[in-house]
mmCIF file of all heavy atoms in Angstrom:
data_model
loop_
_atom_site.group_PDB
_atom_site.id
_atom_site.type_symbol
_atom_site.label_atom_id
_atom_site.label_comp_id
_atom_site.label_asym_id
_atom_site.label_seq_id
_atom_site.Cartn_x
_atom_site.Cartn_y
_atom_site.Cartn_z
ATOM 1 N N LEU A 708 -15.219 4.645 12.960
ATOM 2 C CA LEU A 708 -14.394 3.974 11.953
ATOM 3 C C LEU A 708 -13.523 2.878 12.574
ATOM 4 O O LEU A 708 -12.893 2.101 11.875
ATOM 5 C CB LEU A 708 -13.476 4.998 11.275
ATOM 6 C CG LEU A 708 -14.206 6.174 10.613
ATOM 7 C CD1 LEU A 708 -13.198 7.187 10.091
ATOM 8 C CD2 LEU A 708 -15.093 5.687 9.475
ATOM 9 N N VAL A 709 -13.504 2.822 13.900
ATOM 10 C CA VAL A 709 -12.611 1.897 14.596
ATOM 11 C C VAL A 709 -12.950 0.456 14.266
ATOM 12 O O VAL A 709 -12.073 -0.373 14.003
ATOM 13 C CB VAL A 709 -12.668 2.152 16.126
ATOM 14 C CG1 VAL A 709 -11.989 1.033 16.887
ATOM 15 C CG2 VAL A 709 -12.028 3.487 16.456
ATOM 16 N N SER A 710 -14.253 0.136 14.231
ATOM 17 C CA SER A 710 -14.635 -1.275 14.106
ATOM 18 C C SER A 710 -14.213 -1.865 12.758
ATOM 19 O O SER A 710 -13.832 -3.032 12.680
ATOM 20 C CB SER A 710 -16.134 -1.432 14.312
ATOM 21 O OG SER A 710 -16.814 -0.742 13.298
ATOM 22 N N ASP A 711 -14.234 -1.034 11.686
ATOM 23 C CA ASP A 711 -13.796 -1.549 10.373
ATOM 24 C C ASP A 711 -12.365 -2.062 10.450
ATOM 25 O O ASP A 711 -12.031 -3.113 9.908
ATOM 26 C CB ASP A 711 -13.842 -0.424 9.324
ATOM 27 C CG ASP A 711 -15.263 -0.060 8.956
ATOM 28 O OD1 ASP A 711 -16.165 -0.881 9.230
ATOM 29 O OD2 ASP A 711 -15.461 1.041 8.420
ATOM 30 N N VAL A 712 -11.515 -1.274 11.118
ATOM 31 C CA VAL A 712 -10.104 -1.651 11.218
ATOM 32 C C VAL A 712 -9.947 -2.870 12.126
ATOM 33 O O VAL A 712 -9.222 -3.818 11.805
ATOM 34 C CB VAL A 712 -9.264 -0.453 11.720
ATOM 35 C CG1 VAL A 712 -7.845 -0.884 12.013
ATOM 36 C CG2 VAL A 712 -9.283 0.664 10.692
ATOM 37 N N LEU A 713 -10.653 -2.855 13.252
ATOM 38 C CA LEU A 713 -10.549 -3.990 14.171
ATOM 39 C C LEU A 713 -11.044 -5.281 13.508
ATOM 40 O O LEU A 713 -10.491 -6.361 13.746
ATOM 41 C CB LEU A 713 -11.324 -3.713 15.464
ATOM 42 C CG LEU A 713 -10.728 -2.618 16.358
ATOM 43 C CD1 LEU A 713 -11.543 -2.490 17.639
ATOM 44 C CD2 LEU A 713 -9.272 -2.893 16.691
ATOM 45 N N ASN A 714 -12.068 -5.165 12.657
ATOM 46 C CA ASN A 714 -12.568 -6.370 11.967
ATOM 47 C C ASN A 714 -11.487 -6.972 11.086
ATOM 48 O O ASN A 714 -11.296 -8.189 11.056
ATOM 49 C CB ASN A 714 -13.797 -6.028 11.113
ATOM 50 C CG ASN A 714 -15.022 -5.814 11.977
ATOM 51 O OD1 ASN A 714 -15.072 -6.283 13.118
ATOM 52 N ND2 ASN A 714 -16.007 -5.089 11.444
ATOM 53 N N VAL A 715 -10.784 -6.105 10.358
ATOM 54 C CA VAL A 715 -9.709 -6.603 9.497
ATOM 55 C C VAL A 715 -8.636 -7.280 10.344
ATOM 56 O O VAL A 715 -8.130 -8.356 10.013
ATOM 57 C CB VAL A 715 -9.102 -5.437 8.668
ATOM 58 C CG1 VAL A 715 -7.817 -5.863 7.987
ATOM 59 C CG2 VAL A 715 -10.116 -4.948 7.648
ATOM 60 N N MET A 716 -8.313 -6.671 11.484
ATOM 61 C CA MET A 716 -7.277 -7.242 12.361
ATOM 62 C C MET A 716 -7.732 -8.557 12.968
ATOM 63 O O MET A 716 -6.941 -9.489 13.135
ATOM 64 C CB MET A 716 -6.915 -6.246 13.463
ATOM 65 C CG MET A 716 -6.162 -5.028 12.934
ATOM 66 S SD MET A 716 -6.010 -3.722 14.152
ATOM 67 C CE MET A 716 -5.035 -4.568 15.388
ATOM 68 N N ARG A 717 -9.022 -8.634 13.297
ATOM 69 C CA ARG A 717 -9.575 -9.871 13.866
ATOM 70 C C ARG A 717 -9.455 -11.016 12.846
ATOM 71 O O ARG A 717 -9.018 -12.118 13.179
ATOM 72 C CB ARG A 717 -11.036 -9.629 14.243
ATOM 73 C CG ARG A 717 -11.656 -10.719 15.091
ATOM 74 C CD ARG A 717 -13.074 -10.351 15.470
ATOM 75 N NE ARG A 717 -13.130 -9.252 16.423
ATOM 76 C CZ ARG A 717 -13.758 -8.089 16.205
ATOM 77 N NH1 ARG A 717 -14.380 -7.863 15.061
ATOM 78 N NH2 ARG A 717 -13.762 -7.156 17.120
ATOM 79 N N ASP A 718 -9.823 -10.712 11.587
ATOM 80 C CA ASP A 718 -9.709 -11.733 10.530
ATOM 81 C C ASP A 718 -8.267 -12.190 10.375
ATOM 82 O O ASP A 718 -7.985 -13.378 10.211
ATOM 83 C CB ASP A 718 -10.204 -11.174 9.188
ATOM 84 C CG ASP A 718 -11.706 -10.954 9.194
ATOM 85 O OD1 ASP A 718 -12.368 -11.489 10.107
ATOM 86 O OD2 ASP A 718 -12.197 -10.251 8.289
ATOM 87 N N LEU A 719 -7.367 -11.211 10.448
ATOM 88 C CA LEU A 719 -5.955 -11.524 10.286
ATOM 89 C C LEU A 719 -5.474 -12.430 11.422
ATOM 90 O O LEU A 719 -4.747 -13.399 11.202
ATOM 91 C CB LEU A 719 -5.170 -10.204 10.282
ATOM 92 C CG LEU A 719 -3.724 -10.256 9.849
ATOM 93 C CD1 LEU A 719 -3.617 -10.783 8.437
ATOM 94 C CD2 LEU A 719 -3.118 -8.854 9.938
ATOM 95 N N ALA A 720 -5.930 -12.128 12.643
ATOM 96 C CA ALA A 720 -5.551 -12.945 13.799
ATOM 97 C C ALA A 720 -6.064 -14.372 13.610
ATOM 98 O O ALA A 720 -5.357 -15.349 13.885
ATOM 99 C CB ALA A 720 -6.112 -12.332 15.080
ATOM 100 N N ARG A 721 -7.296 -14.509 13.121
ATOM 101 C CA ARG A 721 -7.876 -15.844 12.929
ATOM 102 C C ARG A 721 -7.116 -16.628 11.864
ATOM 103 O O ARG A 721 -7.090 -17.852 11.889
ATOM 104 C CB ARG A 721 -9.353 -15.721 12.516
ATOM 105 C CG ARG A 721 -10.207 -15.164 13.644
ATOM 106 C CD ARG A 721 -11.647 -15.630 13.564
ATOM 107 N NE ARG A 721 -12.398 -15.087 14.698
ATOM 108 C CZ ARG A 721 -13.291 -14.108 14.585
ATOM 109 N NH1 ARG A 721 -13.612 -13.618 13.394
ATOM 110 N NH2 ARG A 721 -13.904 -13.646 15.653
ATOM 111 N N SER A 722 -6.496 -15.894 10.904
ATOM 112 C CA SER A 722 -5.779 -16.601 9.840
ATOM 113 C C SER A 722 -4.445 -17.145 10.335
ATOM 114 O O SER A 722 -3.725 -17.805 9.586
ATOM 115 C CB SER A 722 -5.551 -15.652 8.662
ATOM 116 O OG SER A 722 -4.527 -14.744 8.990
ATOM 117 N N GLY A 723 -4.090 -16.863 11.599
ATOM 118 C CA GLY A 723 -2.878 -17.448 12.162
ATOM 119 C C GLY A 723 -1.660 -16.553 12.121
ATOM 120 O O GLY A 723 -0.548 -16.984 12.442
ATOM 121 N N MET A 724 -1.838 -15.287 11.721
ATOM 122 C CA MET A 724 -0.705 -14.352 11.678
ATOM 123 C C MET A 724 -0.219 -14.056 13.091
ATOM 124 O O MET A 724 -1.019 -13.882 14.004
ATOM 125 C CB MET A 724 -1.164 -13.053 10.980
ATOM 126 C CG MET A 724 -0.169 -11.921 10.970
ATOM 127 S SD MET A 724 1.373 -12.293 10.110
ATOM 128 C CE MET A 724 0.888 -12.082 8.388
ATOM 129 N N THR A 725 1.096 -14.011 13.259
ATOM 130 C CA THR A 725 1.680 -13.577 14.525
ATOM 131 C C THR A 725 1.527 -12.061 14.613
ATOM 132 O O THR A 725 1.919 -11.351 13.676
ATOM 133 C CB THR A 725 3.176 -13.938 14.572
ATOM 134 O OG1 THR A 725 3.319 -15.306 14.216
ATOM 135 C CG2 THR A 725 3.755 -13.690 15.952
ATOM 136 N N MET A 726 0.925 -11.585 15.692
ATOM 137 C CA MET A 726 0.643 -10.152 15.769
ATOM 138 C C MET A 726 1.034 -9.588 17.126
ATOM 139 O O MET A 726 0.765 -10.203 18.153
ATOM 140 C CB MET A 726 -0.867 -9.883 15.546
ATOM 141 C CG MET A 726 -1.317 -10.124 14.111
ATOM 142 S SD MET A 726 -3.118 -10.244 13.919
ATOM 143 C CE MET A 726 -3.664 -8.649 14.483
ATOM 144 N N VAL A 727 1.674 -8.407 17.095
ATOM 145 C CA VAL A 727 1.932 -7.666 18.327
ATOM 146 C C VAL A 727 1.188 -6.346 18.183
ATOM 147 O O VAL A 727 1.430 -5.593 17.239
ATOM 148 C CB VAL A 727 3.433 -7.407 18.537
ATOM 149 C CG1 VAL A 727 3.665 -6.741 19.895
ATOM 150 C CG2 VAL A 727 4.226 -8.695 18.444
ATOM 151 N N VAL A 728 0.254 -6.090 19.092
ATOM 152 C CA VAL A 728 -0.632 -4.939 18.940
ATOM 153 C C VAL A 728 -0.521 -4.045 20.174
ATOM 154 O O VAL A 728 -0.858 -4.467 21.283
ATOM 155 C CB VAL A 728 -2.098 -5.396 18.769
ATOM 156 C CG1 VAL A 728 -2.987 -4.188 18.481
ATOM 157 C CG2 VAL A 728 -2.225 -6.439 17.671
ATOM 158 N N VAL A 729 -0.017 -2.817 19.960
ATOM 159 C CA VAL A 729 -0.061 -1.818 21.025
ATOM 160 C C VAL A 729 -1.417 -1.137 20.903
ATOM 161 O O VAL A 729 -1.745 -0.612 19.836
ATOM 162 C CB VAL A 729 1.075 -0.790 20.867
ATOM 163 C CG1 VAL A 729 0.872 0.365 21.834
ATOM 164 C CG2 VAL A 729 2.418 -1.452 21.101
ATOM 165 N N THR A 730 -2.230 -1.191 21.945
ATOM 166 C CA THR A 730 -3.597 -0.709 21.778
ATOM 167 C C THR A 730 -4.195 -0.199 23.075
ATOM 168 O O THR A 730 -3.718 -0.520 24.170
ATOM 169 C CB THR A 730 -4.495 -1.825 21.204
ATOM 170 O OG1 THR A 730 -5.761 -1.278 20.900
ATOM 171 C CG2 THR A 730 -4.659 -2.976 22.174
ATOM 172 N N HIS A 731 -5.235 0.634 22.916
ATOM 173 C CA HIS A 731 -6.055 1.030 24.059
ATOM 174 C C HIS A 731 -7.407 0.344 24.000
ATOM 175 O O HIS A 731 -8.262 0.598 24.848
ATOM 176 C CB HIS A 731 -6.257 2.553 24.052
ATOM 177 C CG HIS A 731 -4.999 3.310 24.311
ATOM 178 N ND1 HIS A 731 -4.314 3.200 25.505
ATOM 179 C CD2 HIS A 731 -4.281 4.154 23.545
ATOM 180 C CE1 HIS A 731 -3.241 3.969 25.451
ATOM 181 N NE2 HIS A 731 -3.190 4.545 24.269
ATOM 182 N N GLU A 732 -7.624 -0.503 22.968
ATOM 183 C CA GLU A 732 -8.918 -1.161 22.801
ATOM 184 C C GLU A 732 -8.945 -2.422 23.659
ATOM 185 O O GLU A 732 -8.615 -3.514 23.197
ATOM 186 C CB GLU A 732 -9.140 -1.520 21.325
ATOM 187 C CG GLU A 732 -9.152 -0.339 20.384
ATOM 188 C CD GLU A 732 -10.440 0.466 20.497
ATOM 189 O OE1 GLU A 732 -11.468 -0.101 20.931
ATOM 190 O OE2 GLU A 732 -10.400 1.666 20.166
ATOM 191 N N LEU A 733 -9.361 -2.275 24.913
ATOM 192 C CA LEU A 733 -9.340 -3.429 25.803
ATOM 193 C C LEU A 733 -10.330 -4.497 25.339
ATOM 194 O O LEU A 733 -10.095 -5.697 25.521
ATOM 195 C CB LEU A 733 -9.654 -2.997 27.237
ATOM 196 C CG LEU A 733 -8.647 -2.012 27.852
ATOM 197 C CD1 LEU A 733 -8.901 -1.862 29.334
ATOM 198 C CD2 LEU A 733 -7.217 -2.446 27.609
ATOM 199 N N GLY A 734 -11.440 -4.069 24.710
ATOM 200 C CA GLY A 734 -12.422 -5.027 24.203
ATOM 201 C C GLY A 734 -11.797 -5.927 23.154
ATOM 202 O O GLY A 734 -11.983 -7.159 23.168
ATOM 203 N N PHE A 735 -11.021 -5.299 22.250
ATOM 204 C CA PHE A 735 -10.337 -6.070 21.207
ATOM 205 C C PHE A 735 -9.327 -7.025 21.840
ATOM 206 O O PHE A 735 -9.246 -8.197 21.482
ATOM 207 C CB PHE A 735 -9.637 -5.107 20.243
ATOM 208 C CG PHE A 735 -8.813 -5.790 19.192
ATOM 209 C CD1 PHE A 735 -9.402 -6.312 18.052
ATOM 210 C CD2 PHE A 735 -7.440 -5.915 19.344
ATOM 211 C CE1 PHE A 735 -8.644 -6.941 17.089
ATOM 212 C CE2 PHE A 735 -6.664 -6.550 18.389
ATOM 213 C CZ PHE A 735 -7.272 -7.070 17.255
ATOM 214 N N ALA A 736 -8.578 -6.529 22.818
ATOM 215 C CA ALA A 736 -7.571 -7.356 23.486
ATOM 216 C C ALA A 736 -8.244 -8.560 24.145
ATOM 217 O O ALA A 736 -7.785 -9.699 24.027
ATOM 218 C CB ALA A 736 -6.820 -6.527 24.526
ATOM 219 N N ARG A 737 -9.356 -8.297 24.814
ATOM 220 C CA ARG A 737 -10.056 -9.367 25.520
ATOM 221 C C ARG A 737 -10.526 -10.450 24.545
ATOM 222 O O ARG A 737 -10.431 -11.645 24.820
ATOM 223 C CB ARG A 737 -11.266 -8.771 26.240
ATOM 224 C CG ARG A 737 -11.991 -9.715 27.186
ATOM 225 C CD ARG A 737 -13.223 -9.045 27.727
ATOM 226 N NE ARG A 737 -12.921 -7.858 28.528
ATOM 227 C CZ ARG A 737 -12.653 -7.908 29.842
ATOM 228 N NH1 ARG A 737 -12.653 -9.056 30.475
ATOM 229 N NH2 ARG A 737 -12.395 -6.806 30.494
ATOM 230 N N GLU A 738 -11.015 -9.987 23.379
ATOM 231 C CA GLU A 738 -11.625 -10.933 22.454
ATOM 232 C C GLU A 738 -10.594 -11.680 21.606
ATOM 233 O O GLU A 738 -10.737 -12.872 21.352
ATOM 234 C CB GLU A 738 -12.584 -10.163 21.529
ATOM 235 C CG GLU A 738 -13.347 -11.047 20.578
ATOM 236 C CD GLU A 738 -13.898 -10.250 19.407
ATOM 237 O OE1 GLU A 738 -13.939 -9.005 19.484
ATOM 238 O OE2 GLU A 738 -14.268 -10.883 18.413
ATOM 239 N N VAL A 739 -9.555 -10.962 21.148
ATOM 240 C CA VAL A 739 -8.674 -11.524 20.122
ATOM 241 C C VAL A 739 -7.324 -11.991 20.659
ATOM 242 O O VAL A 739 -6.764 -12.969 20.177
ATOM 243 C CB VAL A 739 -8.471 -10.492 18.988
ATOM 244 C CG1 VAL A 739 -7.558 -11.042 17.904
ATOM 245 C CG2 VAL A 739 -9.811 -10.097 18.381
ATOM 246 N N ALA A 740 -6.800 -11.306 21.679
ATOM 247 C CA ALA A 740 -5.433 -11.606 22.116
ATOM 248 C C ALA A 740 -5.342 -12.972 22.778
ATOM 249 O O ALA A 740 -6.288 -13.447 23.415
ATOM 250 C CB ALA A 740 -4.953 -10.533 23.090
ATOM 251 N N HIS A 741 -4.189 -13.602 22.586
ATOM 252 C CA HIS A 741 -3.894 -14.807 23.356
ATOM 253 C C HIS A 741 -3.277 -14.420 24.689
ATOM 254 O O HIS A 741 -3.395 -15.134 25.670
ATOM 255 C CB HIS A 741 -2.909 -15.700 22.594
ATOM 256 C CG HIS A 741 -3.458 -16.166 21.277
ATOM 257 N ND1 HIS A 741 -2.842 -15.933 20.072
ATOM 258 C CD2 HIS A 741 -4.599 -16.835 20.983
ATOM 259 C CE1 HIS A 741 -3.563 -16.447 19.092
ATOM 260 N NE2 HIS A 741 -4.633 -16.985 19.617
#
Side-chain angles (χ1 to χ4, degrees):
Chain A
L708 303 175
V709 168
S710 63
D711 288 342
V712 172
L713 291 183
N714 286 339
V715 168
M716 290 169 63
R717 192 177 290 121
D718 291 345
L719 192 60
R721 293 208 178 107
S722 75
M724 174 61 79
T725 310
M726 289 165 61
V727 185
V728 185
V729 170
T730 187
H731 293 297
E732 299 286 336
L733 298 191
F735 175 81
R737 188 185 297 273
E738 184 199 345
V739 180
H741 299 123

